[in-house]
Amino acid sequence: MGSQRSGVSVTESQKERARAAFGKVAKKTASGQKQPSKAKTGK
Amino acid sequence: MSRPSEFPVLSDGATELLRIARENDKHRALARNAALLKSLKFTEQLILVCRGDWRKDLAELLGVAAPTAFVGLASQSLRTIQREVDELFQHPPADSQLPVVTDFNIHALQGEAQMLADFAWPGRAAADFDGPPLGEVVGRLGSVEVRGAWTALLQHYLGNILQDVFASARIREAIPDLDPEAETWLRSRDARDLSEYVLGMIPANQAPDAVEFMLALDQAVDWATE
């Protein structure tokens, strides 16, 4: 396979979704993130 | 296969950014592309060379005379990976379905450089451009486990993708009161948790396999975005 466009162009509706995801957390915790959770190894 | 109960909880923001990257990833190149595969394989080769007769083998791996300091090694490493990707583009194997030139290539190459710096130049400062001398760099890289290097590479690769989509969505401009560390956490928490989980999907007693590592990432991204 040759050249593949993937992942960079973000549509307006996607921008709104992303902003909403960060915005709702920013209002709750003023951090934009959940509290950190250490990954488990899966085994 | 449904998401395992022990799967890490990513932040809402990172999950949405990953969903967007996946939606726009028509060829599922995020987790399986030639640049990422070549970066993983090169990393393994480099570590093995650093553990052995590196004064002889490093020049052969890089295709040029061995550099004198970190910056030269990082630069030549990226050139070597890019050459191999170019070779795949010009002469693709008949049975290969691996995307070769994708928007994710830059994230893989940048992640390689970031990983090398983390291990070989831990105390770096902006005022110093060349980094440690080659002997010191080789000594540090030779002591790194391949699995650990791959996990660090993957953390930076995912962090680069998340931060790229974050910037494209202009989130910082839209949410002025967002925590100043939000972009940093995408790499230091979300990308770390996901990359460590991917590592855990590969049995510890198994020899490192770059293709299997990418397939584990593909599955983990599916779980993270479902």
Side-chain angles (χ1 to χ4, degrees):
Chain A
M1 295 177 77
S3 179
Q4 311 289 345
R5 292 294 295 182
S6 290
V8 168
S9 300
V10 178
T11 66
E12 286 304 315
S13 66
Q14 288 173 332
K15 288 179 184 176
E16 288 175 15
R17 279 170 38 208
R19 291 167 182 172
F22 279 90
K24 73 181 179 190
V25 181
K27 283 176 185 170
K28 271 195 302 192
T29 68
S31 73
Q33 302 265 322
K34 287 180 179 175
Q35 291 302 306
S37 62
K38 183 68 179 166
K40 296 174 183 174
T41 63
K43 294 195 303 319
Chain B
M1 194 186 304
S2 60
R3 180 163 63 180
S5 59
E6 70 273 16
F7 195 80
V9 179
L10 304 184
S11 69
D12 291 343
T15 300
E16 201 58 42
L17 295 178
L18 207 51
R19 282 197 186 114
I20 291 168
R22 194 57 133 178
E23 283 170 13
N24 298 346
D25 179 20
K26 303 286 188 296
H27 303 277
R28 292 183 72 85
L30 190 156
R32 38 178 299 281
N33 63 72
L36 180 59
L37 179 64
K38 292 296 182 183
S39 296
L40 291 167
K41 289 187 170 180
F42 175 85
T43 298
E44 181 178 14
Q45 289 175 309
L46 178 61
I47 289 173
L48 295 178
V49 165
C50 289
R51 289 177 187 166
D53 188 1
W54 62 271
R55 292 180 195 282
K56 176 172 74 71
D57 296 336
L58 189 55
E60 187 177 336
L61 176 65
L62 298 175
V64 295
T68 57
F70 172 81
V71 69
L73 179 67
S75 172
Q76 291 303 334
S77 296
L78 301 194
R79 287 172 189 269
T80 302
I81 295 167
Q82 186 62 55
R83 265 202 314 272
E84 294 184 0
V85 171
D86 291 344
E87 177 66 21
L88 270 182
F89 182 68
Q90 290 164 3
H91 306 289
D95 58 347
S96 175
Q97 293 296 310
L98 203 60
V100 177
V101 181
T102 80
D103 287 337
F104 298 111
N105 287 28
I106 183 66
H107 301 311
L109 290 168
Q110 186 179 335
E112 176 79 25
Q114 290 164 316
M115 177 274 296
L116 289 174
D118 281 353
F119 287 116
W121 191 7
R124 57 190 180 276
D128 179 6
F129 186 71
D130 289 349
L134 187 63
E136 201 173 306
V137 169
V138 166
R140 287 176 178 153
L141 291 178
S143 67
V144 176
E145 292 297 325
V146 173
R147 292 168 60 94
W150 282 2
T151 307
L153 168 56
L154 189 55
Q155 177 180 353
H156 284 302
Y157 174 69
L158 292 169
N160 294 337
I161 292 170
L162 290 171
Q163 290 185 348
D164 186 37
V165 182
F166 180 96
S168 297
R170 304 184 74 82
I171 292 168
R172 174 66 62 191
E173 294 91 323
I175 310 174
D177 62 343
L178 190 61
D179 195 295
E181 295 296 311
E183 293 97 325
T184 302
W185 289 336
L186 292 172
R187 183 185 309 276
S188 65
R189 296 179 180 173
D190 297 296
R192 178 203 63 191
D193 287 358
L194 196 52
S195 60
E196 287 183 356
Y197 186 83
V198 170
L199 174 69
M201 293 170 71
I202 310 295
N205 59 355
Q206 184 174 308
D209 183 315
V211 172
E212 191 173 352
F213 200 70
M214 288 202 314
L215 293 175
L217 171 62
D218 202 33
Q219 177 65 79
V221 172
D222 277 348
W223 282 331
T225 55
E226 69 181 21

